[in-house]
Each structure stands twice: as structure tokens, then as C-alpha cells.
Amino acid sequence: MHIRSGTKDDAEHIAELHTRSWLTAYAEIMPASYLGGPLLDERKAMWSTRLATVPAEQDHSRCLLVAVDDNMLLGFAYLAVATDGRLLLDNLHVQPERKQSGIGRQLVHHAFGWASEQHPDKTVYLEVLRDNVAAITFYRRLGGQPAKEFVERFPAGFELPVVEYTWGPDVVRTLGDNRSTADRRAS
């Protein structure tokens, strides 16, 4: 497995993985009518738009990392500077059949390495559906701390409870330091 910076050429594969991940993780959480609807088309539009403006060189406002084996996308992580100045880990997804293989952990290490190098004094946070127990367990094992709960209204017309998890700058730095020396070149 190799972790590298993502490019606009990865958009379609990322959208497909993002969709597969939601179909698996949210099968018992989100309405079946939504998951069985135009989810793939929505993810394709989102990632095409998001990655259309990715410069050849990574900028300091966002980071897309992809885990690949040969040419197969195994997982990805996407961080961006939020309007409040913190860093939002907006997406972290691994091929469903490859979960618990260490790919997600390595993506977090790389993402937090980027965060600690580019934004050394910033907190990283993410928002996770409260009923996504597997993800919450994973984030807690990585030192994530629940910060607040709220209800998110989805454009499709349903609402779900969400928990925000945070990592302070010291924890971000420690997790980022867990990348191997060779791997540091990927971010």
C-alpha cells in the first residue's frame, strides 16, 4: 500500500468508494430510499466539483490523500481549513472489505502529519453520525474527544444526530509523527 496526494483524476474512484462506504456504514442509519437513490451521482458531482480546482501542488487550505495498491483505491482522507480556523477531517473512507486492516489508521496518521506541518497550532475535528458506532470506536481509539452533539438536516429531508470529535494540536502532532519516514514523502 502507498499513500499519495490525490488529484482530479481520482474523482470518479473516490466517488465510487465514498458511495460504497455510505451504503455499508449507513444501511441501518439513513433511510433506504435515500441510500437507494441518486447517491452515486451526488458523490460524483461533489468530488468532480471539489477536485476540479485542486492545484498540481497541494495548497495549505486542503489535503486529499489516497491509499492505493497498484492502481486500486483502498481509501482516502480529505481535510480542509474550516471557516472557524480549525481543520475539518471531512472524509475518511476505506473500502468496506478492507476495514480494520490499518488503512484508515495510516490515512489518519498522514492526514494529521499534513495538519501538524501546515497548521501546527490547529485543532482537527470531524462530525460523525451518532449511530455509527464502528466509526466512533475508531475515533476514540485514536484519541478523539467528543466535543458537542447536534442534529443535522440532510438535503433529502431527514435529520440525524451527529457528534463532533476533536483532536488538539498536541495529539494531532503525535498521531502525525506515527508515519514512517518513507511515508512522509507522500504528504
Side-chain angles (χ1 to χ4, degrees), residues 53-97:
T53 58
V54 171
E57 297 287 323
Q58 287 285 345
D59 66 16
H60 299 295
S61 67
R62 59 188 168 168
C63 176
L64 172 64
L65 298 170
V66 294
V68 294
D69 188 8
D70 291 322
N71 289 324
M72 183 180 168
L73 179 67
L74 302 176
F76 70 95
Y78 180 82
L79 291 95
V81 176
T83 56
D84 65 4
R86 298 182 299 162
L87 299 172
L88 171 62
L89 179 55
D90 195 32
N91 298 103
L92 176 64
H93 297 277
V94 172
Q95 291 287 355
E97 65 278 3

Side-chain angles (χ1 to χ4, degrees), residues 11-29:
E12 186 167 341
H13 294 292
I14 288 171
E16 290 168 358
L17 171 52
H18 196 172
T19 301
R20 286 189 71 222
S21 181
W22 274 37
L23 290 172
T24 303
Y26 301 153
E28 303 297 322
I29 300 173

Side-chain angles (χ1 to χ4, degrees), residues 121-167:
D121 298 322
K122 302 289 183 184
T123 294
V124 173
Y125 76 101
L126 59 78
E127 298 169 351
V128 60
L129 296 178
R130 186 183 66 200
D131 293 336
N132 190 348
V133 176
I136 287 172
T137 300
F138 176 74
Y139 299 136
R140 286 185 174 177
R141 283 187 187 142
L142 288 171
Q145 298 295 313
K148 66 179 179 179
E149 289 193 36
F150 58 95
V151 173
E152 181 174 346
R153 179 157 184 76
F154 287 78
F158 59 92
E159 296 179 344
L160 293 171
V162 174
V163 181
E164 178 184 288
Y165 277 83
T166 63
W167 290 262

